[in-house]
Amino acid sequence: MFRTQLETSVFLGGAAAFGSAGNLVNADKKQVSTIDLIIGINDKGVFQNVTMGGTTYSLDDFNNLRTSKPSGPFPREDKDK
């Protein structure tokens, strides 16, 4: 969550993973995802909107989009067990 002094905020989140922090040390490191994200800020430093993938969202709409579904953990595929 990023928040300005004027109490506007943008929620940035990811998905839940399996294992513990210790599993990350020797993990097969590879890129999981990329995003195309622009946070619109006015001249007073207040967040105005978020543009993602060419679509502009109000702060409320973007934050609801990011928090409306659970982020996992989801069932593993057999190869990951």
Side-chain angles (χ1 to χ4, degrees):
M1 173 92 56
F2 289 94
R3 183 171 295 207
T4 68
Q5 291 178 343
L6 298 174
E7 299 301 315
T8 56
S9 58
V10 174
F11 181 80
L12 301 177
F18 294 99
S20 67
N23 295 117
L24 296 175
V25 174
N26 296 317
D28 179 19
K29 295 167 183 71
K30 56 187 169 191
Q31 183 173 319
V32 175
S33 68
T34 60
I35 59 171
D36 174 14
L37 184 89
I38 299 169
I39 300 173
I41 304 171
N42 70 11
D43 60 353
K44 295 181 173 127
V46 178
F47 296 149
Q48 300 295 296
N49 54 48
V50 177
T51 302
M52 184 173 71
T55 302
T56 301
Y57 300 91
S58 72
L59 296 181
D60 286 339
D61 287 346
F62 181 79
N63 289 337
N64 288 334
L65 177 71
R66 308 307 298 162
T67 60
S68 63
K69 296 179 184 176
S71 61
F74 299 110
R76 289 182 173 193
E77 295 179 17
D78 287 340
K79 66 179 182 169
D80 294 331
K81 291 184 179 177

